[in-house]
Amino acid sequence: MPDHPWPTRQTEPADQRRTAARCGLYICHVCGRLSAPADALRRRHGLACPRCRAALHPRKPESLHRTLALLVTAAVLYLPANLLPVMTISRFGQDEPTTILQGVQALIAAQLWLLAVVVFAASIVVPMLKISTLGYLIWSVRTGEKNRRRDRTRLYHIAESVGQWSMVDVFLVAVLVSLVDLDFLAVITPGHGATFFAAVVVLTMLATHAFDPRLIWDAAESSYHEQ
Amino acid sequence: MAWFPLATPTTLETQLNINDYIACTHCDALYRRSPLEPGQSAICRDCGAEVTWEGEGRHEVVLAMAISGLILFAVACSFPVLSIQVGSQIESSSLISTTLKLVQSGFWGLAASMVLFVILYPALTFIGATIVIAGLELLPPKRRPILAVTLRWVTTLMPWSMTGVYVIGIFVSLVKLAKMAEVIPGAALFALIALIPISLMLRTQLSRETLWRRLEDA
């Protein structure tokens, strides 16, 4: 994997940046080709990339609204995802429902520190950070924040790359449910918390996809044009 | 489009050759391309994201990776991932049986995440990669549009393929169960682990840019 040395060079003042949009060019999100509207394919619903035929937009359409809608849904579902049990362990006729947080507690109690940290990071820290990061990014674009554009882009990049790792808990439940089905010893059944949790992960991933980080940069530049 | 002006090219020559330029998908900065060495990547001066990179790969290597990915994936689907033994009772879990179990318990959402993210999307990614790379060698140029459609789907599905995450899930359950019973790792677990470096290599050997350029040149 190519590494990411983030160079520390200061960015140029907003008004001097040469961007694709200012030169009337669209970037294709699938294949990365640049197109001028004149050589793009014309479709009933707009332009398409001449190389890979994916839809072309100057910016992701309705990016802020779609991100916000997905994010709010994810935040609402985050409650049942954490309050409802993700699985129930039945041992010796006793049912023991477990939520995500109780799962981490059990790992701590068993002194499996590394696993406890992994599960805590993947299931609790990552979703919360993702929801708050995207929320902050939307807010910063809406208020036309001009500072720290580079840091905010980096923040987005992080949210984008940690996306799928929260699924660990969902897959853990899936494996345990299929494996632990020993009538005389223990039976593990899934709980609705797991379904909600999977929905939260998918929704936050969709929200990250819907957000267009170029809006962070536009905020500084379009105001320059308005002056 | 109302909120940002589509300016006429003033800073650029009006008659630019689009293939000489590249833009950053994270901040829209426009750059003139310069050739990269294999393994080098171009980092955006404005936002620090990766604009493009040059893979080290040769075609044969990538094709070999894609085909071994397919075979390993077939193994991962047909053998048990983990088994536990308590006394004389043995319970095994494979990708398919895990999905069926979730369907039986009525947890359709969980079953769907298993099918899509662990079975279908990774499978389609490997099948698609094989088709594109083999097709570049074998198909006549007329048929190439099929490859473009395939590559587009591979690119779209890639972020949703979660075999690596699934392996972590298996490890957590392995450790959790180790106290309770004897846990026996199955062939599918080893196949899934071997798939991680292979899908990484698939991604680093050929860049998206290189693949699309080859498709276009043909």
Side-chain angles (χ1 to χ4, degrees):
Chain A
M1 209 46 140
D3 55 346
H4 280 258
W6 301 95
T8 45
R9 214 195 105 148
Q10 282 299 303
T11 54
E12 289 173 20
D15 48 302
Q16 285 167 26
R17 262 166 47 88
R18 185 167 77 172
T19 63
R22 282 188 167 179
C23 297
L25 298 175
Y26 295 4
I27 312 173
C28 172
H29 261 272
V30 174
C31 74
R33 188 192 195 277
L34 281 169
S35 316
D39 44 61
L41 301 175
R42 259 150 237 289
R43 289 280 171 79
R44 209 184 321 155
H45 298 292
L47 300 173
C49 173
R51 180 156 71 178
C52 72
R53 285 148 206 275
L56 273 184
H57 308 279
R59 293 290 180 267
K60 291 180 190 169
E62 295 295 328
S63 171
L64 288 187
H65 288 132
R66 288 183 39 204
T67 314
L68 189 62
L70 291 163
L71 204 60
V72 169
T73 321
V76 170
L77 294 185
Y78 190 65
L79 286 177
N82 278 286
L83 296 176
L84 294 178
V86 287
M87 59 183 164
T88 305
I89 308 168
S90 316
R91 251 191 294 211
F92 315 118
Q94 273 192 322
D95 285 355
E96 196 187 311
T98 317
T99 62
I100 286 178
L101 210 53
Q102 284 165 342
V104 178
Q105 273 174 354
L107 286 174
I108 294 174
Q111 297 196 316
L112 300 166
W113 303 110
L114 184 69
L115 275 195
V117 170
V118 169
V119 174
F120 185 75
S123 319
I124 312 232
V125 179
V126 169
M128 275 172 70
L129 268 183
K130 249 168 78 174
I131 292 174
S132 49
T133 300
L134 279 178
Y136 162 69
L137 288 177
I138 294 175
W139 174 81
S140 80
V141 168
R142 286 302 299 265
T143 53
E145 174 68 48
K146 294 186 185 64
N147 296 322
R148 314 203 68 153
R149 283 166 295 164
R150 192 195 180 91
D151 291 339
R152 280 183 283 145
T153 314
R154 206 171 150 183
L155 215 53
Y156 172 75
H157 192 87
I158 295 170
E160 202 183 21
S161 47
V162 296
Q164 46 169 259
W165 289 96
S166 320
M167 277 305 248
V168 166
D169 240 313
V170 174
F171 294 146
L172 170 69
V173 170
V175 173
L176 288 180
V177 165
S178 77
L179 209 50
V180 185
D181 192 6
L182 306 156
D183 300 326
F184 62 92
L185 188 74
V187 176
I188 297 183
T189 44
H192 288 288
T195 310
F196 282 112
F197 196 79
V200 170
V201 179
V202 172
L203 283 166
T204 51
M205 281 180 76
L206 288 172
T208 323
H209 280 292
F211 184 79
D212 195 331
R214 290 171 294 182
L215 298 177
I216 296 171
W217 297 79
D218 288 337
E221 278 146 34
S222 53
S223 63
Y224 166 74
H225 282 279
E226 280 158 20
Q227 279 169 11
Chain B
M1 237 199 278
W3 42 267
F4 93 86
L6 269 180
T8 45
T10 47
T11 43
L12 278 180
E13 323 65 289
T14 15
Q15 300 240 310
L16 57 81
N17 180 4
I18 275 174
N19 289 322
D20 290 344
Y21 289 87
I22 190 164
C24 171
T25 45
H26 277 70
C27 73
D28 219 28
L30 189 66
Y31 296 102
R32 188 182 265 280
R33 278 176 191 281
S34 55
L36 294 173
E37 298 281 313
Q40 253 189 344
S41 51
I43 305 294
C44 178
R45 265 195 275 134
D46 287 347
C47 73
E50 193 176 68
V51 182
T52 186
W53 50 279
E54 190 61 55
E56 347 212 332
R58 289 192 315 245
H59 244 79
E60 314 87 76
V61 180
V62 183
L63 187 57
M65 291 295 160
I67 293 175
S68 27
L70 263 180
I71 296 171
L72 284 170
F73 197 78
V75 173
C77 284
S78 27
F79 289 94
V81 177
L82 284 182
S83 313
I84 56 170
Q85 188 171 15
V86 182
S88 59
Q89 203 178 354
I90 294 184
E91 189 80 31
S92 298
S93 132
S94 68
L95 296 187
I96 310 283
S97 76
T98 305
T99 312
L100 289 178
K101 194 78 167 213
L102 291 171
V103 171
Q104 276 168 16
S105 354
F107 282 77
W108 294 94
L110 293 182
S113 358
M114 273 297 293
V115 171
L116 295 180
F117 304 141
V118 186
I119 302 177
L120 197 60
Y121 292 168
L124 286 177
T125 313
F126 284 114
I127 294 172
T130 314
I131 291 177
V132 171
I133 298 157
L136 270 174
E137 302 284 339
L138 301 174
L139 282 185
K142 256 194 202 166
R143 294 284 191 76
R144 295 277 162 86
I146 303 172
L147 302 184
V149 176
T150 318
L151 185 53
R152 209 178 115 193
W153 279 105
V154 172
T155 320
T156 322
L157 293 183
M158 200 89 105
W160 295 96
S161 127
M162 303 187 186
T163 33
V165 184
Y166 190 72
V167 171
I168 303 288
I170 294 171
F171 275 127
V172 178
S173 57
L174 209 155
V175 176
K176 273 194 133 175
L177 290 174
K179 291 193 164 175
M180 215 167 93
E182 196 181 338
V183 190
I184 309 147
L189 180 57
F190 296 110
L192 283 173
I193 294 171
L195 272 176
I196 296 173
I198 285 189
S199 41
L200 262 181
M201 270 188 246
L202 256 186
R203 267 177 237 189
T204 47
Q205 289 282 316
L206 278 185
S207 73
R208 173 176 84 163
E209 283 282 327
T210 319
L211 272 178
W212 279 109
R213 229 179 295 134
R214 282 192 198 167
L215 268 180
E216 200 177 35
D217 291 346

